[in-house]
């Protein structure tokens, strides 16, 4: 037991380091800040609420903001009533339907149907690309249908139901019909000339989708034994969005509140659930497979178009034709690009396989376990720390239906639109074929909408792709 004098001496020798509110990778994981609160006032709820209300900035009080809405991120009484009266689980999920009997097929048919409705508009938007944006019709159609349903629910013009999803499908179909009426010869010609690459792209998409469905069937839970994951949060958010009549959705973690999070990815999945009636627990895994397939096909399309465009440019020169005899197929380049983006990671998995083989062959011991988590935490010494070095395949393998996973296909969609904008401008500078004021406006508007959608799918990707979009517009203007 130390004497008071000894304690005072120890205090005087202590060096205090105030870290303040540092970045959480430092202040939370390395040097967590401990806070102890003492309830000295013993105030009741009414007194606390009054204290908070009187502390609000005077200009807010003058505008009546304190009186009009409850404190905090809370639904108004009318909003809470509308959310409660929006239907139950059995009103949304059709448990006995054929879609729940064969959900993998039903989910795929829904995707293909949306893509088919969007295809004429996609061919118009992506006409500078060699594959005419066939694969980009899928994420673009999903976003367009979901955006219509989301706007209807956000503006409170129509609740989020199967009917509002139908309105989204109808509007996309009407746009495509208008495009067909105006440019039917160009679109028919594109289908006749490009049907082979359309089929190859479709095969890439379906193969990736079915491969990841099998992977999810092998372990549909995948709850890490030590570090868990974010599936409870993701499932709660998905169910909250699915169950909500109007946007923003209710907060599943705070009764009476609304969701203060970028939730557009969950809304797109909920749109498919509303349309098909598939059980959310099954749809959760099907959505992982869908976003993986969309990422694979988006990467394939970008690399294929770059390789095919290069091949055609070189082929215009008779002197270069001979050198192209051994040119690697653009299709193989596209497949390689898809593998590099969506499958190949930081090679730690290959290292672990090599270490296991060494133990078996050389040391005559057991292969050992395969630690997939280790590969995503490579910056820290063994055992891994909290510094995240995820790569796309790990993200899909771990299968948290989180914002940074769902945004991947739409970042690739931005790149595809940006590429179409730049290539179209280059060709238009010397060829009247791509000169179209309507096409330019449509492409710019679509690029703006998709970049804006990143803000509500995964906010952290928005600044990067806003810069990429701006750079594409600058290059397009420069080439013109």
């Amino acid at each position: 037991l130390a004497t008071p004098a000894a304690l005072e001496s120890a205090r005087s020798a202590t060096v205090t380091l105030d870290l303040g509110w540092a970045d959480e990778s430092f202040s939370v994981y390395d040097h967590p800040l401990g806070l102890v609160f003492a309830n000295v006032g013993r105030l009741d709820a009414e007194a606390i609420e009054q204290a908070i209300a009187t502390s609000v900035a005077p200009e807010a009080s003058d505008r009546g903001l304190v009186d009009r809405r409850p404190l905090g991120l809370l639904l108004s009484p009318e909003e809470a009533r509308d959310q409660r009266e929006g239907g139950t689980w059995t009103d949304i999920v059709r448990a006995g339907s054929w879609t729940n009997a064969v959900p993998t097929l039903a989910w795929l048919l829904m995707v293909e149907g949306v893509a088919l409705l969007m295809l004429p508009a996609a061919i118009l938007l992506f006409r500078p690309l060699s594959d005419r944006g066939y694969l980009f019709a899928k994420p673009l159609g999903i976003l367009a249908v979901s955006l219509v349903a989301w706007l209807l629910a956000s503006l409170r013009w129509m609740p989020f139901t199967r009917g509002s999803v139908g309105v989204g499908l109808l509007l996309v179909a009407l746009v495509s019909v208008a495009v067909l009426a105006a440019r039917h010869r160009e679109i028919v010609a594109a289908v006749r000339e490009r049907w082979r690459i359309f089929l190859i792209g479709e095969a890439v998409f379906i193969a990736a989708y079915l491969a990841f469905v099998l992977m999810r069937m092998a372990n549909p839970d995948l709850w890490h034994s030590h570090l868990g994951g974010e599936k409870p949060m993701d499932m709660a958010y998905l169910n909250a969005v699915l169950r909500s009549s109007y946007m923003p959705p209710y907060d599943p973690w705070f009764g009476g509140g609304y969701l203060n999070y970028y939730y557009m990815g969950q809304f797109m999945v909920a749109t498919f659930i509303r349309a098909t009636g598939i059980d959310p627990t099954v749809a959760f895994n099907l959505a992982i497979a869908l976003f993986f397939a969309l990422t694979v096909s988006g990467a394939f399309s970008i690399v294929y178009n770059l390789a095919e465009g290069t091949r055609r440019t070189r082929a215009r020169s008779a002197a270069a034709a001979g050198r192209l005899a051994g040119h690697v197929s653009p299709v193989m380049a596209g497949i390689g690009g898809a593998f590099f983006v969506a499958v190949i990671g930081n090679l730690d998995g290959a290292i672990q396989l090599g270490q296991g083989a060494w133990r078996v062959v050389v040391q005559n011991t057991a292969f050992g376990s395969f630690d997939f988590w280790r590969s995503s935490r490579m910056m820290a010494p063994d055992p891994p720390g909290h510094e995240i070095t995820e790569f796309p395949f790990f993200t899909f393998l771990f299968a948290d239906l989180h914002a940074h996973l769902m945004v991947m296909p739409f970042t690739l969609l931005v790149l595809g639109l940006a590429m179409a904008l730049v290539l179209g401008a280059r060709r238009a500078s010397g060829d009247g074929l791509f000169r179209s004021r309507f096409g330019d406006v449509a492409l710019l508007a679509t690029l703006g909408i998709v970049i804006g959608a990143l803000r509500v799918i995964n906010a952290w990707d928005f600044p990067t792709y806003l810069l990429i979009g701006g750079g594409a517009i600058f290059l397009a203007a420069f080439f013109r």
Side-chain angles (χ1 to χ4, degrees):
L1 295 176
T3 64
L7 287 173
E8 185 61 33
S9 176
R11 290 193 191 97
S12 63
T14 300
V15 177
T16 302
L17 179 63
D18 183 6
L19 300 176
W21 299 103
D23 178 77
E24 70 170 25
S25 61
F26 187 78
S27 63
V28 174
Y29 298 123
D30 289 340
H31 298 78
L33 177 64
L35 300 175
V36 179
F37 296 92
N39 187 358
V40 295
R42 303 292 176 183
L43 303 177
D44 57 22
E46 196 172 313
I48 294 173
E49 184 174 347
Q50 182 61 31
I52 295 174
T54 55
S55 68
V56 174
E59 59 270 19
S61 299
D62 294 341
R63 294 196 303 267
L65 298 182
V66 176
D67 298 329
R68 275 191 306 160
R69 289 190 65 91
L71 294 171
L73 299 168
L74 296 177
L75 297 166
S76 68
E78 296 78 13
E79 292 169 337
R81 182 199 63 226
D82 291 340
Q83 299 291 41
R84 286 193 298 268
E85 294 177 354
T88 63
W89 188 88
T90 52
D91 296 323
I92 299 169
V93 178
R94 303 191 296 275
S97 65
W98 72 269
T99 56
N100 276 291
V102 283
T104 299
L105 177 61
W107 196 264
L108 180 60
L109 290 176
M110 179 68 185
V111 175
E112 298 293 357
V114 170
L116 187 61
L117 290 178
M118 180 55 70
L119 185 58
I123 290 176
L124 175 66
L125 291 170
F126 293 96
R127 65 191 185 282
L129 303 187
S130 298
D131 69 352
R132 299 300 189 267
Y134 175 81
L135 289 171
F136 286 125
K138 300 179 191 300
L140 188 59
I142 292 169
L143 179 60
V145 173
S146 302
L147 185 61
V148 171
W150 178 74
L151 285 171
L152 291 173
S154 297
L155 297 172
R156 302 182 72 83
W157 290 351
M158 187 175 183
F160 181 38
T161 61
R162 198 167 296 123
S164 65
V165 177
V167 171
L169 292 168
L170 179 61
L171 287 179
V172 170
L174 290 176
V175 169
S176 288
V177 168
V179 171
L180 276 172
R183 300 291 187 88
H184 64 278
R185 291 178 181 172
E186 179 183 345
I187 293 171
V188 170
V191 173
R192 286 177 177 173
E193 295 171 5
R194 311 290 177 179
W195 65 269
R196 290 181 179 84
I197 189 60
F198 287 5
L199 290 180
I200 292 172
E202 192 63 48
V204 169
F205 172 79
I206 293 177
Y209 172 74
L210 294 179
F212 231 83
V213 166
L214 291 175
M215 190 168 292
R216 298 306 306 135
M217 289 172 67
N219 191 348
D221 182 17
L222 195 59
W223 177 262
H224 193 272
S225 57
H226 299 296
L227 299 175
E230 294 177 322
K231 288 184 181 64
M233 166 192 166
D234 298 325
M235 192 67 193
Y237 282 5
L238 176 60
N239 277 323
V241 173
L242 177 65
R243 173 63 178 77
S244 294
S245 304
Y246 297 99
M247 300 296 121
Y250 70 85
D251 190 337
W253 304 111
F254 183 61
Y258 61 86
L259 191 59
N260 183 31
Y261 193 75
Y262 32 92
Y263 60 87
M264 192 63 187
Q266 285 88 351
F267 189 90
M268 288 187 283
V269 178
T271 297
F272 269 53
I273 297 175
R274 285 276 187 176
T276 61
I278 294 175
D279 188 311
T281 57
V282 177
F284 187 104
N285 285 309
L286 292 174
I288 299 291
L290 171 61
F291 286 116
F292 174 77
L294 291 174
T295 302
V296 167
S297 56
F300 170 86
S301 181
I302 289 174
V303 178
Y304 167 81
N305 282 294
L306 290 173
E308 175 66 10
T310 301
R311 187 189 68 79
R312 292 189 177 199
T313 300
R314 292 179 177 178
R316 292 192 186 101
S317 171
R323 297 199 299 272
L324 288 173
H327 192 77
V328 177
S329 166
V331 172
M332 296 307 298
I335 293 173
F339 267 91
F340 271 99
V341 170
V343 179
I344 299 174
N346 57 16
L347 303 185
D348 178 65
I351 292 173
Q352 290 194 56
L353 292 175
Q355 291 171 340
W358 177 268
R359 286 190 291 268
V360 172
V361 176
V362 178
Q363 298 178 346
N364 197 27
T365 60
F367 180 88
S369 61
F370 186 91
D371 185 1
F372 78 97
W373 188 271
R374 186 187 93 174
S375 302
S376 69
R377 303 295 189 272
M378 295 301 293
M379 289 177 62
D382 192 30
H386 295 278
E387 297 79 14
I388 300 174
T389 55
E390 277 194 32
F391 47 92
F393 187 74
F394 171 86
T395 303
F396 290 113
L397 178 65
F398 196 45
D400 282 343
L401 193 61
H402 209 60
H404 69 283
L405 180 151
M406 293 181 283
V407 79
M408 289 189 207
F410 301 97
T411 59
L412 292 168
L413 177 59
V414 171
L415 296 180
L417 289 165
M419 186 165 63
L421 183 65
V422 174
L423 293 179
R426 289 192 65 182
R427 297 178 186 180
S429 63
D431 185 350
L433 177 62
F434 292 95
R435 290 189 181 276
S436 169
R437 180 166 296 178
F438 174 78
D440 289 344
V441 172
L443 183 55
L444 281 171
T446 305
L447 179 62
I449 290 170
V450 176
I451 291 176
L454 299 183
R455 178 66 179 81
V456 288
I457 299 174
N458 185 41
W460 300 99
D461 283 301
F462 174 69
T464 300
Y465 289 90
L466 182 63
L467 290 174
I468 291 174
I473 293 171
F474 172 81
L475 287 175
F478 174 79
F479 284 126
R480 284 189 182 275

